[in-house]
């Protein structure tokens, strides 16, 4: 939300109401700015103003950043008719303009970043920024030395023109792999393993752009990012 901001937009956003209902409420004289009843929809509000709506304060909380340990069965979407979304796991006010920085499939677990700062999330997720995302992969077949080298060199994905960018690939046991990639192609990790004649059985993301999933976060739990993590 940019300031100064129209009063109807401010109320609609923070009270999570359709703009039409926010305007009807303003017209019925239940909106106050700095102690004065305001009935003009286009009245300009700043972040320093004291806004009351039905005698309750509305406060814009600014840019916010959260990490979530996503469980299986949740989709990375703001809403979904068939499945629960990661937003169902958050108990926070004023989440209407939040989005996910780096989505995960419904059957993938681990680190999800959620924010209302579009510029920040672009820096995190844009392939041009060359930020690595790290996954723990359990595979159906043993990880061979040849497969490791192919992943490190870049593999040819089905229906893709170019090879994947070189990945950081480390074996974690016979059927385990720690894989770091700087791209975000559709189902990329699963397709990369398919390209080396293997299959992903379980997939868990543990890091994005230097931000590591908190070890204290159980599946379904979340917390705000620290200032140091935001700067990463």
């Amino acid at each position: 939300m940019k300031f100064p901001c129209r009063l109807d937009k401010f109320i609609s956003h923070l009270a999570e109401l359709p703009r039409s209902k926010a305007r009807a409420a303003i017209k019925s004289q239940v909106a106050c700015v700095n102690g004065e009843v305001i009935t003009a929809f286009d009245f300009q509000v700043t972040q320093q103003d004291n806004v009351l709506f039905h005698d309750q304060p509305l406060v814009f909380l600014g840019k916010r950043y959260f990490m979530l340990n996503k469980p299986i069965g949740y989709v990375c979407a703001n809403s979904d008719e068939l499945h629960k979304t990661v937003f169902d796991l958050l108990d926070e006010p004023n989440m209407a303009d939040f989005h996910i920085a780096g989505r995960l499939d419904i059957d993938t677990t681990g680190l999800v970043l959620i924010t209302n700062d579009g510029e920040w999330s672009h820096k995190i997720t844009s392939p041009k920024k060359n930020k690595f995302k790290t996954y723990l992969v359990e595979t159906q077949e043993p990880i061979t030395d040849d497969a490791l080298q192919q992943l490190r060199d870049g593999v040819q994905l089905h229906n893709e023109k170019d090879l994947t960018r070189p990945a950081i690939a480390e074996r974690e046991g016979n059927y385990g792999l720690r894989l770091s990639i700087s791209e975000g192609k559709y189902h990329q990790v699963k397709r990369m393993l398919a390209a080396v004649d293997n299959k992903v059985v379980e997939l868990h993301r543990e890091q994005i752009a230097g931000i590591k999933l908190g070890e204290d976060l159980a599946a379904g739990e979340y917390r705000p990012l620290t200032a140091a993590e935001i700067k990463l």
Side-chain angles (χ1 to χ4, degrees):
M1 183 181 294
K2 294 183 179 180
F3 290 90
C5 174
R6 287 172 57 109
L7 180 60
D8 58 349
K9 181 179 179 181
F10 184 86
I11 291 175
S12 174
H13 179 79
L14 295 183
E16 298 183 353
L17 292 172
R19 188 74 68 89
S20 59
K21 289 190 176 181
R23 289 177 174 178
I26 292 171
K27 190 175 181 180
S28 65
Q29 302 185 7
V30 295
C32 293
V33 180
N34 301 325
E36 181 182 352
V37 174
I38 303 296
T39 57
F41 305 152
D42 60 352
F43 184 87
Q44 296 295 297
V45 176
T46 71
Q47 282 188 269
Q48 290 71 43
D49 288 329
N50 178 23
V51 180
L52 296 180
F53 183 63
H54 289 289
D55 295 323
Q56 298 298 316
L58 294 181
V59 181
F60 180 66
L61 298 175
K63 295 177 180 179
R64 291 181 285 164
Y65 313 81
F66 300 96
M67 72 161 56
L68 168 74
N69 188 354
K70 177 190 168 303
I72 288 177
Y74 286 78
V75 295
C76 286
N78 289 68
S79 62
D80 189 278
E81 294 182 357
L82 299 178
H83 304 96
K84 293 182 179 180
T85 79
V86 293
F87 283 93
D88 293 323
L89 297 168
L90 273 63
D91 183 17
E92 298 290 331
N94 308 334
M95 298 292 290
D97 62 346
F98 276 70
H99 61 274
I100 299 155
R103 298 171 184 271
L104 291 176
D105 297 336
I106 191 171
D107 60 348
T108 302
T109 63
L111 177 61
V112 170
L113 299 176
I114 300 174
T115 182
N116 59 350
D117 187 343
E119 182 179 357
W120 182 85
S121 63
H122 176 72
K123 292 178 181 178
I124 289 281
T125 59
S126 173
K128 294 181 180 179
K129 302 299 182 180
N130 203 36
K131 302 292 186 181
F132 278 89
K133 300 176 285 290
T134 302
Y135 299 83
L136 291 177
V137 189
E138 183 178 331
T139 58
Q140 188 173 71
E141 305 295 334
I143 302 294
T144 65
D145 291 339
D146 181 60
L148 279 178
Q149 193 58 52
Q150 288 184 64
L151 294 170
R152 291 166 181 164
D153 293 339
V155 296
Q156 184 68 57
L157 302 183
H158 182 63
N159 288 334
E160 295 285 348
K161 180 180 178 181
D162 300 318
L163 298 179
T164 59
R165 291 180 184 175
I168 302 171
E170 302 172 351
R171 186 185 285 108
E172 296 286 333
N174 291 334
Y175 295 86
L177 176 71
R178 177 173 274 107
L179 184 68
S180 297
I181 60 175
S182 59
E183 300 169 288
K185 298 180 185 296
Y186 180 69
H187 291 325
Q188 182 166 340
V189 174
K190 295 175 182 177
R191 294 166 69 198
M192 289 176 72
L193 268 295
V196 295
D197 300 319
N198 212 324
K199 183 178 180 180
V200 172
V201 176
E202 291 184 11
L203 187 59
H204 177 83
R205 185 163 64 196
E206 63 177 9
Q207 186 170 327
I208 303 175
I211 302 173
K212 297 181 180 180
L213 180 63
E215 295 181 358
D216 58 334
L217 287 182
E221 293 184 342
Y222 73 98
R223 67 163 172 81
L225 294 187
T226 65
E229 288 169 337
I230 295 169
K231 289 181 180 180
L232 286 172

